[in-house]
Amino acid sequence: MRKIFIYTLIFIFIFAATGCKGTEGSNPKKIEPQAEEKAMNEKELSLNIVTTDKLLYNMVKDIVRDRHYVDYMFVSKEKLWNYKYSEDSINNISKKDLYFYWGSGMEPWVSDFVDKLSKTKIGPINIARGIKTISFDRELKYQDITLKDNPYFWLNIDYYKVAMLNIKNAIQDKDSKDRVYYEDNFSKAIKDVEVYQKKLKEAADKLKEYTFVVDGDNLDYFLKYYGFKTIKIYNYGYQLTQTDIDNNLKLTDKLKDNNNVIFLYDSEQNKKANEEIINKFSLKTGQINIYSNDIKYTDMLQSNLITLESFINAK
């Protein structure tokens, strides 16, 4: 009886010691393999994202920061415009998690390209979804495709905000556990843009008495957004008919005896092609940045603000 009692005490002591050891953490609680794998996957989730160009890349980076890997396809508008995709490029992009493209005519080839992507993994996102694009007054040709929509919708800052919302929502759908993180980054990016939006609106209001002469349709979003009075001619990059030449002369006749006229251009080539008109009427000139692959959107806004303010300072 005494032996049984001693053995019982020894057993209780060993059991208690083993239990305390586990409580102190040297024997952690066992995690089921499935739960452990799920926790690891959630912790290590990293999306592979690609955009068509660097301007769009910078927009995506404003949302994800360094949380995911982001890359872009093209370093210039010319390469973006003239791209001819291959089977290899289709297969390569199909392996990504998200593919962001402008969807407004900036990539004339993109509709066919997206159709051919394997949708098993990739999520193609048209960031112009929900934006009311405006049409070119003069349609453009890309190979056998007629381009009707003006692609530069981001010159309307409200449309830029819609595009950023589309980007943010797509990333949240892929990585829902970090929704708040992306929401915060989105809010900050929009606030940064709104600083320039306010200043640009104020500058534009001080230029309402001016008439702006432009060559072509590229600045339409900009001019309509700020409500500028406009005279539009067609010269640079167009095959002019005699009717075009006559119309241009009639339009520029309106410039006589008008001192409040400014010639806006989006490229040095555009300005050079119109030097005769600029010199004939002694027009003030200013460049509006409509696209640049190597700067952020806020830098573009700042550049355009400087241009408008220069006209105000020269009054």
Side-chain angles (χ1 to χ4, degrees):
M1 190 74 178
R2 180 181 175 86
K3 287 182 179 181
I4 293 173
F5 177 76
I6 292 172
Y7 289 151
T8 302
L9 287 177
I10 291 172
F11 176 78
I12 292 171
F13 177 80
I14 293 172
F15 179 81
T18 304
C20 291
K21 190 175 181 182
T23 303
E24 291 171 357
S26 57
N27 266 331
K29 182 179 179 182
K30 184 178 179 181
I31 301 176
E32 291 299 319
Q34 296 90 340
E36 187 174 19
E37 182 179 353
K38 181 180 178 183
M40 186 176 297
N41 286 341
E42 287 182 353
K43 183 180 179 182
E44 295 179 356
L45 174 64
S46 180
L47 298 176
N48 203 328
I49 302 170
V50 66
T51 70
T52 49
D53 66 358
K54 195 170 182 181
L55 180 59
L56 184 47
Y57 161 92
N58 285 329
M59 292 167 66
V60 173
K61 287 289 283 184
D62 280 343
I63 304 296
V64 303
R65 305 288 178 88
D66 294 325
R67 184 63 54 96
H68 303 294
Y69 178 76
V70 187
D71 200 2
Y72 54 93
M73 296 174 68
F74 305 103
V75 295
S76 72
K77 183 165 65 174
E78 289 71 28
K79 290 184 178 180
L80 175 66
W81 181 271
N82 295 308
Y83 179 58
K84 295 181 180 179
Y85 60 83
S86 64
E87 198 65 35
D88 285 343
S89 57
I90 292 170
N91 292 334
N92 183 45
I93 297 299
S94 293
K95 296 174 184 176
K96 311 298 182 181
D97 295 297
L98 284 169
Y99 177 58
F100 290 101
Y101 60 99
W102 292 104
S104 60
M106 277 297 287
E107 313 100 338
W109 42 268
V110 81
S111 293
D112 288 339
F113 182 74
V114 168
D115 286 344
K116 290 179 171 61
L117 292 175
S118 171
K119 310 303 189 300
T120 305
K121 184 180 182 184
I122 187 71
I125 307 298
N126 173 3
I127 70 161
R129 186 176 62 242
I131 291 172
K132 188 177 180 180
T133 55
I134 57 180
S135 300
F136 281 125
D137 289 339
R138 292 285 185 93
E139 295 176 348
L140 296 180
K141 284 280 189 180
Y142 169 77
Q143 296 178 13
D144 58 344
I145 301 172
T146 298
L147 299 177
K148 298 181 179 180
D149 291 332
N150 187 324
Y152 305 110
F153 67 80
W154 53 86
L155 294 175
N156 179 323
I157 297 176
D158 292 332
Y159 288 166
Y160 173 84
K161 292 179 182 181
V162 173
M164 286 292 283
L165 182 64
N166 288 335
I167 293 170
K168 187 263 298 181
N169 288 345
I171 293 167
Q172 285 179 321
D173 287 344
K174 280 284 188 179
D175 185 15
S176 57
K177 69 181 179 62
D178 287 326
R179 294 185 68 87
V180 174
Y181 175 76
Y182 305 126
E183 198 70 47
D184 290 344
N185 292 344
F186 169 77
S187 296
K188 182 185 183 305
I190 296 302
K191 285 178 182 177
D192 290 344
V193 165
E194 286 175 341
V195 171
Y196 289 102
Q197 184 177 27
K198 181 181 178 182
K199 291 180 179 179
L200 280 160
K201 281 286 191 182
E202 290 171 349
D205 288 342
K206 294 176 182 177
L207 296 168
K208 293 300 184 185
E209 75 271 24
Y210 281 85
T211 297
F212 292 87
V213 180
V214 294
D215 181 357
D217 300 330
N218 286 351
L219 292 173
D220 280 3
Y221 284 102
F222 181 85
L223 297 164
K224 291 180 180 181
Y225 183 65
Y226 295 107
F228 288 139
K229 290 181 290 186
T230 306
I231 292 176
K232 187 185 292 187
I233 59 176
Y234 292 95
N235 188 14
Y236 173 69
Y238 296 93
Q239 188 170 356
L240 301 181
T241 65
Q242 187 59 48
T243 302
D244 291 325
I245 295 170
D246 292 341
N247 286 338
N248 285 347
L249 288 172
K250 288 177 183 177
L251 289 169
T252 52
D253 267 346
K254 296 180 181 180
L255 305 181
K256 293 177 181 177
D257 304 320
N258 189 345
N259 294 322
N260 293 334
V261 179
I262 297 170
F263 183 85
L264 288 182
Y265 58 96
D266 61 276
S267 69
E268 286 296 329
Q269 295 91 331
N270 184 289
K271 180 185 179 184
K272 187 174 179 61
N274 290 278
E275 280 182 346
E276 185 178 347
I277 293 172
I278 293 168
N279 294 332
K280 180 179 179 180
F281 299 101
S282 301
L283 301 182
K284 301 180 183 72
T285 63
Q287 183 169 8
I288 297 301
N289 193 332
I290 66 170
Y291 177 87
S292 184
N293 66 289
D294 58 350
I295 63 173
K296 297 188 67 174
Y297 182 69
T298 48
D299 297 327
M300 189 185 302
L301 296 181
Q302 183 180 32
S303 172
N304 294 337
L305 176 62
I306 290 171
T307 295
L308 294 188
E309 288 180 338
S310 70
F311 300 140
I312 296 169
N313 296 332
K315 279 185 177 184

